[in-house]
Amino acid sequence: MNHTYNPYDNVLKVVSEAANILGYTDSDIEALKYPERELKVAIPVRMDDGSTKVFEGYRIQHSTSRGPAKGGIRFHPDVNLDEVKALAAWMTFKCAVVNIPYGGGKGGVVCDPNKLSEDEIRAITRRFTAAIAPLIGPEQDIPAPDVGTNAAVMGWMMDTYSMLKGHCVHGVVTGKPIELGGALGRSEATGRGVMFTAKNVLKKLDIDPKNTTVAIQGMGNVGSITAKLLHREGMKVVAVSDVSGGIYKESGLNIPDILDYLSQNRKNLLTGYEEDGMTRISNAELLELDVKVLIPAALENQINDSNAERIHADIIVEAANGPIASEADDILAEKGILVVPDILANAGGVVVSYFEWVQNIQSVSWTEETVNEKLKNIMDPAFEAVWDISHKNKGTLRTGAYLIAVKRVVEAKKARAIWP
């Protein structure tokens, strides 16, 4: 990771630009520069070999002006305070741009889940949950899965919190197993939102999805679901990648076959996959392919000032959080590349997390069709609003998204005023 790059500064830069356009004073946005709460915890765990290891964990609540904090838990070796702060702030604005009643939070543990056993991951999860328990709960902060975590981890978090409370608390986390009050459609929600967004932008530009080439960096939950759904919509996915590298095929990859392979060989990643006519490429090469749509669905800071000049895609849909550094935004804009920002494009996950939380609180269950329909009914109008305001202001879609989001957060803060 580039240590001079600070993702939190990235967020503040975009927020300040939007605030200036909106005519807000420094005073109006001052509080948004500081997360409301930052908790750092030590997580002692007895490892499988009998030794004790202490992991570092964080939970940060950026803003609760519009509702309880909402945001994922990330298990990754590169987790650090500035990254978690940035992700928490992005969540604040992501919830605001799609207008759901949440603020932003985020958490993480510095660890490599690929090198840990299931018992060790469960032990880290339980101890971490106990350590952040005073800060979380259905009314104040609702975690969800993120990079390196999944439904199983959310189930253990829910169970740990419920044990501490002495009764079952479904609504403390979202992205849970269906048996524990998880929402149907949640696992596909972020990728489905990316698909809706990609279709919306192609429609605006009058491009036929059937003639559209796509490259996807990252084949985790979001990237793999995005690949599956775009392939189903008739788009030609010519390249995909994961941490082991990428594969490329000009006539289009067999996405169902790749997904089938990955589901059976999770630890092998794409390294062992073979298909006639495909070539192996690096993650860096994938980003620079000459395709219609590029979808970075891995980690932040993948496109920065070192490679932005070599990006050839016409459209970039940010499925990951912060995959484009702010200095690269200007370069891409000059090149005429249209960027659909993360806070809009990947908001499907938090929207369906919201649906899950609503169902938990009301003790009701919706069908998957209902969930997907309600998701579309939120994502499509949010896209239209961002498209319209950015064209009215002759700015980028990122600026447009932040104009809407910053206004909603600042107006909520103003309406509440400062206590006491």
Side-chain angles (χ1 to χ4, degrees):
M1 185 176 275
N2 175 0
H3 286 287
T4 57
Y5 163 77
N6 184 329
Y8 194 63
D9 292 342
N10 235 17
V11 181
L12 296 182
K13 179 173 179 258
V14 186
V15 170
S16 296
E17 285 168 4
N20 284 339
I21 296 170
L22 290 163
Y24 287 129
T25 63
D26 289 347
S27 208
D28 290 331
I29 62 161
E30 187 65 20
L32 288 179
K33 295 176 185 173
Y34 303 90
E36 290 173 11
R37 286 196 183 96
E38 299 180 30
L39 177 64
K40 180 181 173 188
V41 297
I43 307 160
V45 170
R46 189 184 300 271
M47 305 300 281
D48 290 349
D49 63 5
S51 66
T52 298
K53 190 170 177 190
V54 178
F55 295 87
E56 208 169 81
Y58 302 95
R59 186 67 186 175
I60 291 177
Q61 295 166 356
H62 173 257
S63 168
T64 56
S65 293
R66 298 182 68 254
K70 186 84 190 81
I73 302 286
R74 180 171 285 202
F75 285 4
H76 194 275
D78 288 338
V79 165
N80 61 71
L81 188 67
D82 284 325
E83 177 189 68
V84 182
K85 277 168 65 174
L87 291 162
W90 275 318
M91 286 302 299
T92 296
F93 300 109
K94 189 183 298 184
C95 293
V97 83
V98 290
N99 209 14
I100 54 176
Y102 283 145
K106 205 78 184 190
V109 176
V110 185
C111 68
D112 186 348
N114 292 319
K115 294 179 179 166
L116 299 167
S117 70
E118 184 178 304
D119 285 349
E120 288 167 340
I121 293 172
R122 187 167 57 237
I124 290 170
T125 301
R126 289 196 184 282
R127 190 62 191 246
F128 174 62
T129 306
I132 67 168
L135 257 63
I136 63 174
E139 285 91 30
Q140 53 184 349
D141 184 353
I142 306 114
D146 197 83
V147 175
T149 59
N150 55 22
V153 171
M154 292 305 109
W156 299 328
M157 285 194 80
M158 189 216 98
D159 179 67
T160 307
Y161 186 84
S162 297
M163 287 292 143
L164 294 171
K165 291 294 174 190
H167 58 93
C168 187
V169 187
H170 284 128
V172 63
V173 293
T174 57
K176 302 180 292 295
I178 300 298
E179 301 81 3
L180 298 178
L184 294 166
R186 172 63 187 87
S187 63
E188 293 201 340
T190 309
R192 190 173 294 279
V194 174
M195 179 267 286
F196 287 149
T197 304
K199 283 184 70 179
N200 282 332
V201 76
L202 292 176
K203 193 171 164 190
K204 286 286 183 195
L205 301 172
D206 212 16
I207 297 167
D208 182 358
K210 299 275 187 285
N211 300 328
T212 302
T213 51
V214 184
I216 299 173
Q217 184 203 32
M219 281 295 273
N221 171 271
V222 179
S224 60
I225 300 296
T226 300
K228 178 175 100 172
L229 297 176
L230 293 184
H231 177 79
R232 200 179 282 170
E233 291 291 325
M235 296 182 210
K236 189 158 64 173
V237 181
V238 296
V240 297
S241 70
D242 58 23
V243 287
S244 70
I247 53 178
Y248 169 76
K249 185 176 175 183
E250 192 179 348
S251 60
L253 291 160
N254 184 342
I255 297 301
D257 198 44
I258 293 171
L259 296 176
D260 190 46
Y261 173 83
L262 288 176
S263 69
Q264 295 169 38
N265 302 272
R266 205 52 245 172
K267 296 274 187 196
N268 287 354
L269 303 165
L270 285 165
T271 36
Y273 180 78
E274 294 295 338
E275 184 178 318
D276 285 346
M278 64 165 242
T279 50
R280 298 207 173 273
I281 56 171
S282 67
N283 268 293
E285 288 169 325
L286 179 140
L287 293 172
E288 296 169 15
L289 288 172
D290 191 358
V291 289
K292 184 65 72 179
V293 181
L294 171 64
I295 300 181
L299 293 168
E300 58 270 9
N301 195 34
Q302 296 300 298
I303 299 172
N304 46 51
D305 55 2
S306 70
N307 64 352
E309 285 291 358
R310 298 193 300 278
I311 304 297
H312 294 300
D314 295 341
I315 302 159
I316 301 176
V317 180
E318 291 188 317
N321 291 308
I324 300 176
S326 57
E327 68 273 9
D329 255 345
D330 301 333
I331 299 169
L332 298 175
E334 275 171 34
K335 285 170 65 91
I337 296 171
L338 184 69
V339 175
V340 188
D342 48 5
I343 65 167
L344 173 65
N346 71 20
V350 73
V351 171
V352 177
S353 272
Y354 165 59
F355 296 162
E356 181 175 329
W357 178 72
V358 168
Q359 291 170 83
N360 291 162
I361 288 173
Q362 297 180 353
S363 297
V364 296
S365 184
W366 302 341
T367 64
E368 190 163 352
E369 291 71 27
T370 300
V371 169
N372 290 342
E373 187 186 337
K374 284 178 180 288
L375 172 61
K376 188 169 169 44
N377 289 344
I378 285 184
M379 293 297 290
D380 288 356
F383 178 85
E384 288 294 330
V386 169
W387 184 270
D388 290 348
I389 197 168
S390 57
H391 279 70
K392 201 168 86 179
N393 284 280
K394 297 182 172 56
T396 64
L397 293 178
R398 190 182 314 282
T399 303
Y402 275 89
L403 288 174
I404 291 170
V406 169
K407 185 169 198 277
R408 283 178 177 153
V409 177
V410 170
E411 292 306 319
K413 266 198 173 305
K414 279 185 169 179
R416 290 178 66 155
I418 293 177
W419 186 90

